[in-house]
């Protein structure tokens, strides 16, 4: 299953039997599936093509759209893991948030 989170097939095969709670998720199965779809959209996104726009402008709009996809997936992840933006710091740090921040704000 291209562009879904790791082990998504495993989740899909067992969730009908044991529910999303067995995977540590706090939402309904539909909420977890919504997260999977948003994750997939963010990971699959390759950019926008805009007729009549310069390459830098097109790249800017592509970056903005990518941020929107990623943010949507992140909000969905927070919802199914019972976290808030304020409590997500350790999760983000575990996955290199400080490294990314250093690239943005040197």
């Amino acid at each position: 299953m291209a562009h879904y989170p790791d082990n998504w097939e495993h989740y899909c095969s067992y969730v009908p039997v044991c529910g999303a709670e067995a995977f540590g998720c706090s939402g309904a199965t539909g909420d977890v599936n919504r997260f999977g779809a948003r994750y997939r959209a963010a990971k699959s996104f390759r950019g926008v093509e805009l007729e009549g726009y310069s390459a830098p402008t097109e790249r800017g709009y592509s970056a903005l759209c990518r941020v929107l996809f990623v943010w949507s997936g992140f909000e969905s992840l927070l919802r199914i893991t019972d976290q808030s933006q304020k409590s997500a710091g350790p999760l983000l740090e575990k996955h290199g948030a400080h490294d990314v921040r250093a690239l943005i704000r040197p």
Side-chain angles (χ1 to χ4, degrees), residues 26 71 73-93:
S26 62
W71 184 256
F74 178 65
E75 284 184 320
S76 189
L77 175 67
L78 293 178
R79 201 170 300 118
I80 65 170
T81 57
D82 268 341
Q83 292 191 55
S84 67
Q85 289 179 39
K86 289 182 180 182
S87 69
L91 172 67
L92 294 172
E93 178 50 34

Side-chain angles (χ1 to χ4, degrees), residues 3 10 13 26 42 49-50 64-65 67-68 70 72 80-83 92 94-95 103:
H3 304 295
H10 178 77
S13 64
S26 62
E49 292 183 23
L50 300 168
L64 178 61
C65 288
V67 167
L68 292 172
V70 170
S72 178
I80 65 170
T81 57
D82 268 341
Q83 292 191 55
L92 294 172
K94 179 180 174 184
H95 294 283
L103 291 172

Side-chain angles (χ1 to χ4, degrees), residues 13-43:
S13 64
Y14 286 102
V15 75
V17 177
C18 55
E21 311 81 39
F23 292 89
C25 299
S26 62
T29 300
D31 295 324
V32 180
N33 289 342
R34 199 168 297 109
F35 160 72
R38 291 175 181 182
Y39 180 99
R40 181 179 181 216
K43 195 164 184 179

